[in-house]
Amino acid sequence: MALLPLVIAPDERLKTPSQPIDTIDDSIRALAADMFDTMYHERGIGLAAVQVGVLKRMLVADVTWRDDGTPGTQYVMINPQIVSKDANLRRYKEGCLSFPDQFADVTRPDAVRVRYLDLDGKQQEETFDDLLGTCIQHEIDHLDGIVFVDHVSTLKRDMILRKLKKQKKLGYFEPHVHGPDCNHGHDDHDHDHAHEHEHVHGEHCNH
Ligand code: NI
């Protein structure tokens, strides 16, 4: 199990389109496993490779994992493409592991049909709706250098980005040793990683 440091906005990489993957080898399979570990640890439901600094067209998603950390239905999509979109729209308050503690309402098609390669290199095509549909559209956006705040008003986007910029400057998202003074809810406090939450600084933080 490996936890990967997250790319936190604002960051140029999050605006950069990712490159298609030509060969699905062990390094890609290992990356997918590490992305799931990181996603569950950070309590997310989807993660694009660019969010761990790898500019390749790959995403992982699982919207049915349980609170105790038991995985649900896992999706790994390589070079995903939306082939059709439902006319019905769905509005959802989205967040993103690259935008810690920031949320905004985003309206997207309720359902999308997606063509992608799985980890065995087999082509799959499936329709996704509801929360999973929203999640997959959000992650495919990442592969094109688009983030959820690009779908909201400039005012709201600027507010969120300003806040994150300030928190970044204060070192909120630096790797640190977890301790009793952190107010984010991880239950394993024995390792360093780039955490995603705002927290109360104290003697147990190493910044
Ligand atoms: Ni995201």
Side-chain angles (χ1 to χ4, degrees), residues 169-189:
K169 217 163 146 187
L170 292 170
Y172 277 33
F173 312 122
E174 298 299 319
H176 71 284
V177 177
H178 292 289
D181 294 300
C182 298
N183 63 4
H184 50 107
H186 300 306
D187 35 27
D188 45 344
H189 277 151

Tab-separated table of all heavy atoms in Angstrom, residues 169-189:
chain	number	residue	atom	x	y	z
A	169	LYS	N	0.096	28.685	1.236
A	169	LYS	CA	1.187	29.529	1.685
A	169	LYS	C	1.457	29.303	3.174
A	169	LYS	O	2.595	29.344	3.625
A	169	LYS	CB	0.794	30.993	1.454
A	169	LYS	CG	1.948	31.862	1.019
A	169	LYS	CD	1.410	33.129	0.423
A	169	LYS	CE	2.291	34.311	0.712
A	169	LYS	NZ	1.630	35.547	0.244
A	170	LEU	N	0.409	29.040	3.914
A	170	LEU	CA	0.547	28.807	5.355
A	170	LEU	C	0.979	27.368	5.667
A	170	LEU	O	1.126	26.997	6.823
A	170	LEU	CB	-0.778	29.104	6.065
A	170	LEU	CG	-1.208	30.574	6.076
A	170	LEU	CD1	-2.642	30.714	6.578
A	170	LEU	CD2	-0.269	31.415	6.926
A	171	GLY	N	1.148	26.557	4.608
A	171	GLY	CA	1.656	25.198	4.810
A	171	GLY	C	0.614	24.178	5.214
A	171	GLY	O	0.951	23.100	5.686
A	172	TYR	N	-0.670	24.503	5.025
A	172	TYR	CA	-1.743	23.589	5.432
A	172	TYR	C	-1.634	22.220	4.784
A	172	TYR	O	-2.071	21.239	5.348
A	172	TYR	CB	-3.111	24.170	5.042
A	172	TYR	CG	-3.678	25.165	6.009
A	172	TYR	CD1	-2.857	26.013	6.733
A	172	TYR	CD2	-5.047	25.270	6.173
A	172	TYR	CE1	-3.386	26.943	7.603
A	172	TYR	CE2	-5.591	26.198	7.037
A	172	TYR	CZ	-4.766	27.033	7.744
A	172	TYR	OH	-5.303	27.944	8.582
A	173	PHE	N	-1.130	22.182	3.563
A	173	PHE	CA	-1.193	20.919	2.823
A	173	PHE	C	0.151	20.203	2.741
A	173	PHE	O	0.324	19.267	1.992
A	173	PHE	CB	-1.761	21.165	1.421
A	173	PHE	CG	-3.006	22.008	1.449
A	173	PHE	CD1	-3.065	23.203	0.763
A	173	PHE	CD2	-4.110	21.591	2.184
A	173	PHE	CE1	-4.212	23.986	0.805
A	173	PHE	CE2	-5.257	22.371	2.228
A	173	PHE	CZ	-5.311	23.574	1.535
A	174	GLU	N	1.116	20.683	3.539
A	174	GLU	CA	2.421	20.029	3.560
A	174	GLU	C	2.286	18.694	4.295
A	174	GLU	O	1.478	18.564	5.200
A	174	GLU	CB	3.437	20.887	4.313
A	174	GLU	CG	3.703	22.249	3.696
A	174	GLU	CD	4.256	22.144	2.299
A	174	GLU	OE1	5.109	21.258	2.083
A	174	GLU	OE2	3.827	22.913	1.427
A	175	PRO	N	3.154	17.721	3.901
A	175	PRO	CA	3.131	16.466	4.657
A	175	PRO	C	3.477	16.763	6.113
A	175	PRO	O	4.305	17.620	6.385
A	175	PRO	CB	4.254	15.641	4.023
A	175	PRO	CG	4.528	16.282	2.720
A	175	PRO	CD	4.157	17.728	2.850
A	176	HIS	N	2.824	16.101	7.031
A	176	HIS	CA	3.132	16.319	8.438
A	176	HIS	C	2.833	15.045	9.222
A	176	HIS	O	2.160	14.153	8.741
A	176	HIS	CB	2.334	17.499	8.997
A	176	HIS	CG	0.883	17.200	9.157
A	176	HIS	ND1	0.021	17.169	8.089
A	176	HIS	CD2	0.148	16.889	10.238
A	176	HIS	CE1	-1.182	16.861	8.530
A	176	HIS	NE2	-1.144	16.680	9.823
A	177	VAL	N	3.350	15.004	10.413
A	177	VAL	CA	3.083	13.852	11.276
A	177	VAL	C	1.743	14.108	11.960
A	177	VAL	O	1.545	15.136	12.587
A	177	VAL	CB	4.196	13.679	12.331
A	177	VAL	CG1	3.872	12.522	13.265
A	177	VAL	CG2	5.535	13.462	11.645
A	178	HIS	N	0.827	13.178	11.806
A	178	HIS	CA	-0.478	13.356	12.431
A	178	HIS	C	-0.366	13.214	13.941
A	178	HIS	O	0.460	12.470	14.447
A	178	HIS	CB	-1.464	12.300	11.925
A	178	HIS	CG	-1.799	12.483	10.488
A	178	HIS	ND1	-2.567	13.522	10.042
A	178	HIS	CD2	-1.443	11.785	9.405
A	178	HIS	CE1	-2.682	13.425	8.741
A	178	HIS	NE2	-1.999	12.391	8.320
A	179	GLY	N	-1.199	13.925	14.627
A	179	GLY	CA	-1.182	13.836	16.082
A	179	GLY	C	-2.482	14.328	16.647
A	179	GLY	O	-3.408	14.649	15.906
A	180	PRO	N	-2.557	14.397	17.968
A	180	PRO	CA	-3.818	14.775	18.611
A	180	PRO	C	-4.294	16.177	18.233
A	180	PRO	O	-5.470	16.496	18.424
A	180	PRO	CB	-3.496	14.681	20.109
A	180	PRO	CG	-2.044	14.461	20.227
A	180	PRO	CD	-1.504	14.047	18.910
A	181	ASP	N	-3.400	17.002	17.697
A	181	ASP	CA	-3.822	18.366	17.378
A	181	ASP	C	-4.372	18.520	15.979
A	181	ASP	O	-4.790	19.606	15.595
A	181	ASP	CB	-2.659	19.327	17.600
A	181	ASP	CG	-2.315	19.384	19.079
A	181	ASP	OD1	-3.192	19.767	19.859
A	181	ASP	OD2	-1.194	19.002	19.437
A	182	CYS	N	-4.341	17.455	15.208
A	182	CYS	CA	-4.927	17.540	13.880
A	182	CYS	C	-6.412	17.254	14.016
A	182	CYS	O	-6.790	16.299	14.677
A	182	CYS	CB	-4.298	16.493	12.954
A	182	CYS	SG	-2.548	16.756	12.746
A	183	ASN	N	-7.227	18.057	13.368
A	183	ASN	CA	-8.668	17.827	13.490
A	183	ASN	C	-9.242	17.125	12.276
A	183	ASN	O	-10.388	17.293	11.947
A	183	ASN	CB	-9.399	19.137	13.768
A	183	ASN	CG	-9.231	20.111	12.623
A	183	ASN	OD1	-8.634	19.785	11.599
A	183	ASN	ND2	-9.765	21.297	12.768
A	184	HIS	N	-8.421	16.346	11.595
A	184	HIS	CA	-8.986	15.569	10.503
A	184	HIS	C	-8.984	14.101	10.860
A	184	HIS	O	-8.135	13.626	11.596
A	184	HIS	CB	-8.289	15.830	9.173
A	184	HIS	CG	-6.806	15.731	9.225
A	184	HIS	ND1	-6.113	14.693	8.691
A	184	HIS	CD2	-5.897	16.553	9.781
A	184	HIS	CE1	-4.830	14.885	8.888
A	184	HIS	NE2	-4.653	15.995	9.544
A	185	GLY	N	-10.006	13.425	10.325
A	185	GLY	CA	-10.376	12.158	10.923
A	185	GLY	C	-9.702	10.901	10.420
A	185	GLY	O	-10.371	9.941	10.100
A	186	HIS	N	-8.394	10.892	10.295
A	186	HIS	CA	-7.772	9.616	9.935
A	186	HIS	C	-7.571	8.793	11.185
A	186	HIS	O	-7.228	9.311	12.227
A	186	HIS	CB	-6.420	9.855	9.267
A	186	HIS	CG	-6.534	10.664	8.029
A	186	HIS	ND1	-7.370	10.321	7.013
A	186	HIS	CD2	-5.943	11.813	7.664
A	186	HIS	CE1	-7.269	11.225	6.058
A	186	HIS	NE2	-6.422	12.143	6.433
A	187	ASP	N	-7.748	7.487	11.061
A	187	ASP	CA	-7.561	6.688	12.259
A	187	ASP	C	-6.166	6.094	12.366
A	187	ASP	O	-5.769	5.609	13.404
A	187	ASP	CB	-8.637	5.602	12.386
A	187	ASP	CG	-9.031	5.055	11.043
A	187	ASP	OD1	-8.183	5.109	10.141
A	187	ASP	OD2	-10.156	4.599	10.890
A	188	ASP	N	-5.402	6.156	11.295
A	188	ASP	CA	-4.026	5.672	11.409
A	188	ASP	C	-3.083	6.865	11.392
A	188	ASP	O	-2.926	7.536	10.395
A	188	ASP	CB	-3.671	4.680	10.293
A	188	ASP	CG	-4.140	5.134	8.941
A	188	ASP	OD1	-4.993	6.045	8.882
A	188	ASP	OD2	-3.641	4.626	7.948
A	189	HIS	N	-2.478	7.105	12.513
A	189	HIS	CA	-1.682	8.325	12.680
A	189	HIS	C	-0.188	8.044	12.671
A	189	HIS	O	0.584	8.759	13.272
A	189	HIS	CB	-2.065	8.997	14.003
A	189	HIS	CG	-3.293	9.835	13.859
A	189	HIS	ND1	-4.165	10.062	14.875
A	189	HIS	CD2	-3.788	10.494	12.806
A	189	HIS	CE1	-5.152	10.833	14.456
A	189	HIS	NE2	-4.956	11.104	13.201
